[in-house]
Amino acid sequence: MTADAQTTRIHSFADDALGEHDAVALAELVRSGERSPRELAAAAADRARAVEELAAVAYESYEQPLLAAEPTGRLYGVPSFVKDNADLVGMPSNHGTQAFEGKPAREHGGYARQFLSAGLTVLGKSTLPEFGFNATTEPPFAAPTRNPWHTGYSVGGSSGGSAALVAAGVVPIAHGNDGGGSIRIPAACAGLVGLKPSRGRHIDSAMARKLPINIVSEGVLTRTVRDTAAYTAAVEEFWRNPALPPIGYIEGPGSKPLRIALLLENVGGPVPTGPIRSAVEKVAATLESHGHRVEPVPLPFDDALETAFLHYWGLLATFVASTGKIADRRFDAGRLDDLTLGLRRHFLRSAWRLPLTLYRLRAAAATYERALGPYDAILLPTLGHETPELGYLSPTVPFDELLYRLRTYVSFTPINNITGTPSITIPAGLSPAGLPIGIQFAGTRGNERTLLELAYLLEAENPFPRLFD
């Protein structure tokens, strides 16, 4: 473990079997026989123990890691963690709540099988806020998951544990899912790559299939673009949706000039001058220097869509609180955190609006396509402001104040969940406080290829900041 009292950074990078390698490099070492899956798993377990201060592990299985049954998959032998809302045989799923205590799963969930098809070794489950509802990982009943770049700050949510583990060097890749920014928000906070795929790109979880509108996408958080690209290709080999164009293995930037929309406003108005706006504008200049055409565009949505998303968010909380007892008779709704309960109250006050909410959410895809479809990609911020300190978004904050803070902070990511379109967050520098800043590339449904190619270009032109430098 390395920690600096002045910056309070913490990481686990060491001269061991994992070194500074990304997942692709580790898989190559396994294929060549230089390393074994068990050797890599043991090194990752040691690293996890060294940074327990991050509180990023919800369940550990270090002594009996879940190893791939066959030496297949592009990332065979690479250690990883799965978010604690996906079922894996022998491991409980607690969904970040104290309202019940999960039992070990008897079978893998549908998406978990696709995740495992890449050949990854699973060492346990990573932390998340209660049912993934918050944009920070700070359970009121346990220690908060800390940001390795500065342990006094949030690492985002809901895939916060996975982000902390990858950024700190415990593993090079970890599972996440995204229903409103839950891959991209922690990726931005922790200086990582986070791709939210198109709706239908992967096998959906059983819970996602029950939603009136499925806003949840599955994916991973990584430190390099090629790891995200390799994982994307690996799971596509297991299952591909024939309704979407194939992605394949993207290995570098594209060659043709693109028309890129620049979006620097949300429903609250233009992004103010500061580190986030500067980061996006710097990326725009880099794109133009490579022959791409970048054009500022207005936000094609008004605050009615934000209101609809908040109402739908409340519906999900109401569903959890109302049906938890059916799923597990030990479920105690009285032990849900104040954000979940507040969202339920928010929904129930205007439950009669649900048909209009669903109409507006479904209509958003056509609006997005009309306004942004003519562009090859959209460049925009990931977050509305810089990463906050721990406590700022805690579920213990009075609900109305917390909701206001979340609406300001998570102002860009939900658009792609609502419309089912892909978006990728990549690092774009550091703030004055020394914390990562993330930007997004978004696209039309099925166009992950272009987003990965643009991410490769930015990674080559502006190498991502490294925690151990």
Side-chain angles (χ1 to χ4, degrees):
M1 176 180 72
T2 300
D4 185 315
Q6 198 169 27
T7 64
T8 60
R9 288 186 181 184
I10 182 172
H11 70 76
S12 63
F13 290 98
D15 184 17
D16 58 10
L18 295 171
E20 298 173 9
H21 297 302
D22 67 359
V24 170
L26 291 173
E28 290 171 353
L29 291 174
V30 172
R31 278 193 293 274
S32 71
E34 293 182 55
R35 299 293 186 194
S36 72
R38 289 197 177 277
E39 185 180 9
L40 297 182
D46 287 342
R47 289 188 176 196
R49 295 185 184 102
V51 291
E52 287 181 345
E53 175 189 340
L54 295 176
V57 178
Y59 177 86
E60 58 95 350
S61 186
Y62 304 155
E63 302 306 318
Q64 293 183 307
L66 182 58
L67 296 158
E70 301 291 336
T72 57
R74 287 180 180 269
L75 301 178
Y76 172 68
V78 177
S80 186
F81 282 80
V82 167
K83 189 174 175 180
D84 194 23
N85 61 1
D87 286 345
L88 287 172
V89 169
M91 299 186 192
S93 295
N94 283 302
H95 298 267
T97 185
Q98 60 176 348
F100 75 102
E101 186 174 344
K103 295 179 180 178
R106 296 181 179 179
E107 60 181 11
H108 296 319
Y111 181 74
R113 291 194 297 273
Q114 190 171 14
F115 178 86
L116 294 171
S117 74
L120 296 161
T121 300
V122 179
L123 278 73
K125 297 288 198 74
S126 60
T127 53
L128 73 157
E130 186 165 84
F131 296 104
F133 291 144
N134 207 343
T136 189
T137 307
E138 301 180 48
F141 58 88
T145 301
R146 299 180 180 276
N147 193 324
W149 287 85
H150 191 307
T151 55
Y153 282 74
S154 169
V155 74
S158 65
S159 306
S162 288
L165 292 165
V166 173
V170 175
V171 292
I173 183 171
H175 167 243
N177 38 42
D178 191 316
S182 291
I183 289 174
R184 292 161 291 156
I185 294 166
C189 293
L192 303 174
V193 179
L195 171 66
K196 185 210 84 70
S198 299
R199 182 178 296 149
R201 178 61 76 183
H202 299 307
I203 296 172
D204 291 326
S205 69
M207 184 177 295
R209 290 195 296 270
K210 296 176 183 177
L211 299 177
I213 300 173
N214 181 12
I215 59 173
V216 181
S217 292
E218 305 283 347
V220 290
L221 294 103
T222 68
R223 294 192 297 270
T224 64
V225 176
R226 73 172 184 170
D227 276 0
T228 294
Y231 174 82
T232 299
V235 296
E236 188 176 62
E237 290 164 0
F238 178 82
W239 180 83
R240 184 177 75 79
N241 186 343
L244 293 173
I247 301 172
Y249 186 27
I250 312 301
E251 299 185 76
S255 57
K256 70 172 185 176
L258 303 176
R259 185 182 179 208
I260 299 172
L262 173 62
L263 185 60
L264 274 172
E265 64 174 299
N266 56 37
V267 294
V271 176
T273 299
I276 289 178
R277 188 181 186 98
S278 296
V280 176
E281 291 174 340
K282 181 180 177 182
V283 169
T286 299
L287 295 172
E288 289 180 325
S289 73
H290 281 266
H292 300 303
R293 182 179 171 186
V294 180
E295 303 175 11
V297 296
L299 181 70
F301 304 106
D302 58 25
D303 58 3
L305 185 64
E306 181 190 51
T307 299
F309 183 77
L310 290 172
H311 197 238
Y312 192 72
W313 191 15
L315 170 67
L316 302 185
T318 303
F319 177 80
V320 165
S322 303
T323 65
K325 206 79 171 177
I326 299 172
D328 189 317
R329 57 194 176 96
R330 299 165 300 166
F331 184 89
D332 181 358
R335 303 188 74 188
L336 293 169
D337 73 25
D338 289 344
L339 175 59
T340 304
L341 295 174
L343 287 169
R344 180 176 66 170
R345 291 192 301 271
H346 180 81
F347 172 77
L348 292 176
R349 281 197 297 266
S350 56
W352 57 272
R353 295 172 56 92
L354 182 57
L356 179 60
T357 289
L358 296 179
Y359 170 79
R360 283 178 171 160
L361 294 177
R362 288 172 176 144
T367 302
Y368 183 98
E369 181 63 31
R370 283 194 302 271
L372 301 172
Y375 295 92
D376 297 298
I378 304 102
L379 168 63
L380 69 164
T382 300
L383 296 169
H385 60 74
E386 295 166 61
T387 302
E389 293 185 57
L390 288 168
Y392 181 77
L393 298 175
S394 167
T396 60
V397 172
F399 177 74
D400 288 342
E401 177 63 21
L402 178 56
L403 191 59
Y404 171 78
R405 293 178 181 183
L406 286 168
R407 292 173 71 172
T408 304
Y409 186 52
V410 186
S411 52
F412 290 100
T413 52
I415 293 172
N416 299 101
N417 299 90
I418 295 167
T419 59
T421 51
S423 178
I424 189 170
T425 284
I426 60 170
L430 298 175
S431 73
L435 291 158
I437 294 173
I439 61 93
Q440 291 187 93
F441 288 117
T444 52
R445 189 163 178 257
N447 196 22
E448 286 90 336
R449 170 180 285 270
T450 297
L451 307 188
L452 286 165
E453 289 174 344
L454 286 169
Y456 268 119
L457 171 61
L458 265 295
E459 184 180 38
E461 284 295 301
N462 300 300
F464 301 156
R466 302 189 305 177
L467 186 58
F468 52 86
D469 285 341

